[in-house]
Amino acid sequence: MHINGGRVPTGLEAVAWAREVERLGAGEIVLTSMDADGTKDGYDLEITKAVTDAVTVQWLPAAERVAGAPGRCHPAGGADAALAASIFHYGEYTIEETKQVMAKRGIHVRLPI
């Protein structure tokens, strides 16, 4: 676990911290794998599965690692939802286009935007 945009390590372990914030009453957890933030290389499925197995609170992986295309956006590893950013920042894809692709794949999205 890191703070300040991933620059400062806290010494905390991600799964233990997810359990603790759930115990403290968190309504949702957003999980980001900072080691590959913005790479579009896909989800960190190892930590995603570990958090899925550890908590019951709704959570979602931040999809900074999504592999650069709407067809790769999905709730990964048992997550309840997914966030995406990098594919939108540079105008590669629109949110509407991404949602349409996801909906065609049977993934629940809110349409129209």
Side-chain angles (χ1 to χ4, degrees), residues 16 19 37 40 47 51-54 60 76 78 84 90 95 102 106 109:
R19 286 183 181 130
D37 186 38
K40 302 180 196 171
I47 190 65
V51 172
T52 297
D53 293 345
L60 51 137
Y90 306 105
I95 294 170
M102 293 173 71
V109 295

Side-chain angles (χ1 to χ4, degrees), residues 83-96:
L83 291 174
S86 295
I87 66 171
F88 307 125
H89 286 282
Y90 306 105
E92 297 171 51
Y93 299 95
T94 67
I95 294 170
E96 181 176 3

Side-chain angles (χ1 to χ4, degrees), residues 41-66:
D41 284 339
Y43 296 98
D44 181 341
L45 294 177
E46 184 178 336
I47 190 65
T48 299
K49 175 147 178 36
V51 172
T52 297
D53 293 345
V55 299
T56 59
V57 67
Q58 186 176 41
W59 74 278
L60 51 137
E64 288 87 352
R65 293 181 58 167
V66 170

